[in-house]
Amino acid sequence: MRLPRPSLSAQVIVALALASCLAACASEPLIAESPCPPPAKSTAPAATTPPKAENAPRTLEVRLAPTRDGGNEVVAIDVSMRFSVPPVDFGEARPLVFRLDDARVEDIDELAARDAEGSLGLVRDEGESNDGAVAPAAWRAERRARGPVTVSYTRKLAAGGAAPLSASAGGFLGVGRAFLLVPETTEPHVMRVRWDMAGLGDGVSGASSLGAGDVEVSGSPTALAGATWAAGPLHRVTIERPATREGEGASFAVTSLGRGVFDVLDAGAWASRAWASVRPLADTPPGHFELFLRSSGSAGRRFDASVAGRSAIAVGDEGLTFGWPEKRVLAKAMARASLGYSVAGWFDEGFVSYFAVDALRRADLVTARDVLAEVDARATRYFSSAEVRAEDRGMWFAAELDARIRAKSGGKRSLADVAREVAPKAGEGEAQAAPPRRVPEAALREAITKELGAEGEARFAAVIGKGGAAEVPEGAFGPCFVKVKKKVPRYELGFDAASATEKKVRGLSPKSAAAKAGLAEGDRITAADLGDGTIDRPVEIEVDRGGKLTKVRWLPRGENVDGFSFAFGPKAPASCDAPKAR
């Protein structure tokens, strides 16, 4: 649904903004979408005539009505669902069960369910949890349902709540599993979702990763739970990629709740190209991807993104610029969404990080300086940290494997090809194959061995199995860089870390940075910030010396250790924009 055309001045502003993005996106048309006017107030979903034929499709009518309570923030979502037939798999006589994976029982109010014979009398279902996790909120009908089933309830929201469902900027943003009571059924339905925005006033609209405004989709109701949903003062841009002889077309949409973190045109233009760059990770058509943005409401440097199917929710602090750190986070989320699975191994996050950085580098969506800064920072952290982060180790090993595969195949194959080919293994052996699906570590090891032979099997065993170091080759990150030896200060706190808990400094090394900064053996600790385990985050200790509070601050750096990193090569191409030698 679209509003009437804006005024002339508004058209000029939008046209100028679109022109700047079109220059970056070549022939990709951008469609700026304004909020839709709220539909008329309705208290129930539209009536659906029960199917007359046995093979008639099952239907599900959903009404979503976010509401405010005298203030600006959304406090609840009124939900009603009408199933044309009881939502249980054909032939099963068990009672209906509705579940909510990411919510508490107390978050649901006024829950009621009816069928052709009256109330179904839903009662709390004390289901068992999986892997020790908290059991999802679930309700079971007291009897078997007959005829059309209607379920209604109110999902309460807390102001400023965090993922997976948050109320902010006069609206809400979150994943369906946090507020949609999805029945346990795999039967396909024709699902129609209608927004009722009367409770939010003017200038608002609704959208989801299934589409803008009211939508109709086919599939299992779990598709609604896996989608991302937003309502309120939304600012939305859609970027279309036309179909070519080489492949199908694709579309990309970015939706900002309220003022958001970044300008939707700037972020959308770059992110749409980043999505196209990571698409080779999946053996499917490009399809559609949705990016949702919202502000955390706080000042700072934090920026996070979470994935829900073919969509991502990004939350950032106020005052951020759309720079490399933010782009890296988005690219990693999109790489994860493109893969559609995770690997059951400690190296999984590192592989996805490598895929994201490598895809952006090859698509010229990141500068060589940003790539170098990323690689150098990870190298420093890898060699200096007291406990090596699994993501860093995994990224180095992914770089090694990718280089080996490209070298052996003469550039015709890559690690992305392997990642794509093991995708069918996702979910094998899992009790529930719904996202997030996982590929067994053994499946990836077999694929690497098939690609590289005994060499690949040996390297996989050495690094993944025995914790050995990756052998990153010279050209792993492109022609701009060369591999160099580097001395890196080892992370060293300088005293026994248990001192912070015991409130007394003990085990202080006389030659440590802590001692040189003024910390003394036996100091009574009143407050302690031990940093983040890296050499670049200061440690700060407050001690009480004879009733006088003193703060001691230092960088936790010890003796240098041998490591490596990358640097601009002396013969780097001009496109690398390497710093000029002095």
Side-chain angles (χ1 to χ4, degrees):
M1 182 182 296
R2 302 182 187 278
L3 281 177
R5 295 179 66 84
S7 64
L8 180 59
S9 60
Q11 291 182 39
V12 173
I13 294 173
V14 172
L16 290 174
L18 291 179
S20 65
C21 287
L22 286 171
C25 298
S27 60
E28 302 162 16
L30 290 93
I31 304 173
E33 303 178 9
S34 301
C36 300
K41 177 70 174 180
S42 173
T43 58
T48 302
T49 303
K52 296 181 180 180
E54 290 185 1
N55 60 352
R58 298 183 178 205
T59 62
L60 167 58
E61 306 282 343
V62 181
R63 168 183 165 269
L64 302 177
T67 60
R68 296 174 180 150
D69 186 16
N72 182 55
E73 298 300 340
V74 171
V75 296
I77 308 171
D78 292 330
V79 182
S80 55
M81 299 184 291
R82 188 181 191 277
F83 298 87
S84 59
V85 294
V88 293
D89 292 338
F90 180 78
E92 293 189 12
R94 60 189 175 90
L96 281 173
V97 174
F98 295 90
R99 56 183 289 159
L100 203 59
D101 289 330
D102 286 317
R104 303 166 302 172
V105 174
E106 52 266 34
D107 294 329
I108 301 298
D109 199 10
E110 300 180 1
L111 174 61
R114 299 182 63 84
D115 65 356
E117 298 181 0
S119 173
L120 284 172
L122 296 181
V123 295
R124 176 79 170 94
D125 181 46
E126 301 294 343
E128 296 182 1
S129 61
N130 296 323
D131 300 326
V134 177
W139 289 263
R140 182 184 298 272
E142 292 184 322
R143 60 176 175 80
R144 185 181 181 187
R146 296 176 175 83
V149 174
T150 301
V151 182
S152 62
Y153 58 92
T154 297
R155 169 58 158 102
K156 296 180 289 185
L157 279 73
L165 183 65
S166 61
S168 63
F172 81 87
L173 173 60
V175 292
R177 65 174 183 269
F179 71 95
L180 291 173
L181 273 170
V182 177
E184 294 183 342
T185 180
T186 58
E187 284 290 326
H189 288 67
V190 175
M191 298 173 287
R192 304 181 184 95
V193 182
R194 183 168 63 81
W195 291 95
D196 183 347
M197 310 299 286
L200 297 189
D202 298 330
V204 296
S205 60
S208 71
S209 53
L210 302 176
D214 300 345
V215 295
E216 178 176 323
V217 294
S218 298
S220 167
T222 55
L224 303 182
T228 300
W229 302 83
L234 304 181
H235 304 279
R236 181 180 173 88
V237 168
T238 299
I239 301 170
E240 302 286 350
R241 286 180 175 268
T244 65
R245 292 182 180 179
E246 289 75 24
E248 299 182 26
S251 60
F252 185 95
V254 56
T255 301
S256 176
L257 175 58
R259 184 165 56 87
V261 189
F262 313 116
D263 181 88
V264 292
L265 294 173
D266 290 341
W270 183 90
S272 70
R273 297 167 67 198
W275 170 243
S277 75
V278 301
R279 290 300 300 141
L281 293 172
D283 192 18
T284 56
H288 182 72
F289 189 84
E290 296 262 352
L291 172 62
F292 293 84
L293 302 171
R294 77 169 178 88
S295 170
S296 67
S298 303
R301 297 297 307 168
R302 181 161 184 165
F303 184 76
D304 298 307
S306 58
V307 177
R310 289 294 181 88
S311 66
I313 299 176
V315 182
D317 290 339
E318 297 281 352
L320 290 177
T321 58
F322 194 49
W324 167 240
E326 293 73 33
K327 292 176 179 178
R328 177 193 59 208
V329 170
L330 286 184
K332 183 180 176 182
M334 287 187 279
R336 173 67 73 192
S338 180
L339 279 173
Y341 66 83
S342 62
V343 180
W346 58 261
F347 51 87
D348 174 69
E349 287 294 315
F351 272 45
V352 178
S353 292
Y354 174 77
F355 284 139
V357 173
D358 187 63
L360 295 183
R361 178 181 68 81
R362 294 179 185 276
D364 291 326
L365 289 174
V366 58
T367 68
R369 297 188 186 211
D370 284 335
V371 172
L372 180 58
E374 176 74 10
V375 172
D376 188 59
R378 286 185 179 272
T380 299
R381 191 169 62 199
Y382 176 76
F383 290 108
S384 67
S385 298
E387 295 184 4
V388 176
R389 298 188 183 187
E391 182 176 351
D392 295 333
R393 289 179 60 201
M395 182 172 174
W396 290 131
F397 190 46
E400 175 192 336
L401 290 177
D402 193 31
R404 288 180 182 272
I405 292 171
R406 290 178 186 274
K408 186 170 183 178
S409 65
K412 296 179 181 180
R413 300 275 295 171
S414 70
L415 186 60
D417 293 308
V418 176
R420 186 167 55 249
E421 291 170 0
V422 300
K425 299 288 186 179
E428 285 188 356
E430 295 181 2
Q432 183 177 359
R437 302 173 305 154
R438 298 204 302 174
V439 167
E441 181 181 304
L444 182 62
R445 183 181 66 248
E446 292 172 3
I448 295 296
T449 301
K450 180 181 178 181
E451 199 74 32
L452 295 174
E455 171 195 13
E457 184 176 21
R459 290 303 300 151
F460 198 95
V463 179
I464 304 300
K466 299 179 181 179
E471 297 174 356
V472 186
E474 177 87 8
F477 295 95
C480 293
F481 316 115
V482 294
K483 188 177 178 181
V484 295
K485 294 181 179 180
K486 184 177 182 179
K487 293 286 188 179
V488 181
R490 188 71 173 169
Y491 174 87
E492 182 182 300
L493 188 58
F495 61 94
D496 192 332
S499 300
T501 302
E502 299 169 1
K503 303 299 182 182
K504 186 177 182 179
V505 175
R506 62 180 178 83
L508 180 68
S509 173
K511 297 182 179 180
S512 67
K516 294 177 181 178
L519 199 66
E521 182 76 17
D523 273 344
R524 190 164 66 87
I525 300 174
T526 57
D529 178 359
L530 300 185
D532 60 0
T534 67
I535 60 174
D536 294 320
R537 168 81 181 275
V539 172
E540 185 172 280
I541 303 290
E542 183 183 76
V543 297
D544 184 346
R545 293 173 178 167
K548 182 180 179 180
L549 297 180
T550 302
K551 289 185 178 181
V552 185
R553 181 184 174 95
W554 70 96
L555 288 175
R557 299 183 175 186
E559 295 183 354
N560 288 338
V561 295
D562 292 327
F564 68 79
S565 186
F566 286 80
F568 280 109
K571 298 181 180 180
S575 59
C576 299
D577 191 27
K580 302 297 182 182
R582 294 183 178 179

